[in-house]
Amino acid sequence: MVNLGDVFPNFKAQSTIGEIELHSFLGDKWGILFSHPADYTPVCTTELGKVAKLAPEFTKRNFKMLAVSCDNVEDHLGWIKDIQAYNCLEGEFPFPIIADEKRELAVKLGMLDPEEKDAAGMPLTARAVFIIGPDKKLKLSILYPATTGRNFDEVLRVIDSLQLTAEKKVATPADWQAGGNCMVLPSIPSAEAKQMFPDHKVHEVPSGKQYLRTTPCPK
Ligand code: BEZ
């Protein structure tokens, strides 16, 4: 189990582009590691196609992408052809898929879904997403069961918030989209807030407490 703020465990694993060591694979970039229950499964086929289509968006945000599924490299390579055919994709697949046949990574990273088993009765990997910062620390994790596909547009939205709030002393409200108004962090005293965010607005509420402070999105 990795907690927010922990240095993400470094590991070596076989993948569709050969052996990968996570930390050197990421270099000084942000990383997204996302897991899949098994190869040749329908929901995963849609998810990997969606992420492949969004690859330029991840690259634009200075990300390296890495998938993991609990089958071997040969299966992954065959499955990529299906993913590309089903999702109308051509050319080189834009990110590697790690082979985690023995569920070693799934166990290490707390990704097993006890409710879903393969034909041999082995638990499958759930749908985890880990976002790793350039400092190699875990910035966000989500875990969905095998039966629920993820929304990767939402993952990109969250990344925009993570990258903004890593730099600026703001937080992003419900349903925020890149460029939208932000909240001044509650920890910023009023005098400092006036200097840092001259256009911020303090919203009046029945409690009289001045904690709802909105500001245009800082550049
Ligand atoms: C799927 O990817 O479609 C899937 C995999 C395991 C359990 C349920 C669905």
Side-chain angles (χ1 to χ4, degrees):
M1 184 75 189
V2 195
N3 294 313
L4 292 186
D6 287 352
V7 171
F8 202 82
N10 197 11
F11 59 79
K12 277 187 187 165
Q14 289 304 322
S15 82
T16 48
I17 58 162
E19 187 177 83
I20 280 180
E21 188 191 39
L22 182 71
H23 286 192
S24 49
F25 173 77
L26 296 177
D28 59 1
K29 294 192 185 298
W30 289 71
I32 176 168
L33 172 68
F34 49 102
S35 64
H36 294 274
D39 294 8
Y40 300 108
T41 50
V43 176
C44 298
T45 301
T46 61
E47 286 191 320
L48 282 164
K50 175 72 185 199
V51 182
K53 283 181 189 164
L54 290 175
E57 292 297 322
F58 284 96
T59 306
K60 210 164 82 184
R61 290 164 175 81
N62 201 27
F63 262 76
K64 294 278 294 252
M65 306 155 76
L66 193 51
V68 52
S69 178
C70 48
D71 287 291
N72 60 38
V73 168
E74 199 187 333
D75 282 339
H76 289 354
L77 291 170
W79 184 33
I80 282 174
K81 293 189 185 122
D82 288 2
I83 294 166
Q84 291 187 301
Y86 183 73
N87 294 284
C88 305
L89 293 162
E90 282 178 349
E92 200 184 330
F93 203 64
F95 51 86
I97 307 177
I98 287 175
D100 188 33
E101 280 171 280
K102 295 185 186 151
R103 277 56 163 180
E104 283 167 352
L105 263 188
V107 171
K108 187 173 179 160
L109 300 175
M111 300 191 292
L112 282 184
D113 183 346
E115 299 290 322
E116 292 294 335
K117 306 226 166 59
D118 68 9
M122 289 266 285
L124 291 170
T125 308
R127 299 182 194 282
V129 176
F130 297 106
I131 306 283
I132 304 160
D135 57 3
K136 307 286 181 294
K137 291 186 179 165
L138 180 66
K139 305 299 179 188
L140 172 135
S141 66
I142 60 172
L143 189 60
Y144 282 27
T147 41
T148 303
R150 289 156 286 193
N151 181 333
F152 285 92
D153 292 317
E154 165 64 3
V155 172
L156 284 176
R157 189 193 73 84
V158 165
I159 285 171
D160 286 338
S161 170
L162 290 174
Q163 292 187 326
L164 174 71
T165 59
E167 296 285 326
K168 307 287 179 189
K169 291 190 184 306
V170 293
T172 60
D175 302 331
W176 176 86
Q177 297 287 341
N181 280 354
C182 299
M183 297 297 186
V184 177
L185 280 185
S187 57
I188 310 287
S190 165
E192 218 178 300
K194 279 185 190 131
Q195 277 197 335
M196 282 178 150
F197 306 108
D199 297 326
H200 84 273
K201 178 176 167 194
V202 183
H203 297 260
E204 302 260 331
V205 280
S207 69
K209 296 184 194 296
Q210 302 205 321
Y211 61 97
L212 280 157
R213 300 177 296 180
T214 53
T215 177
C217 188
K219 298 273 179 283

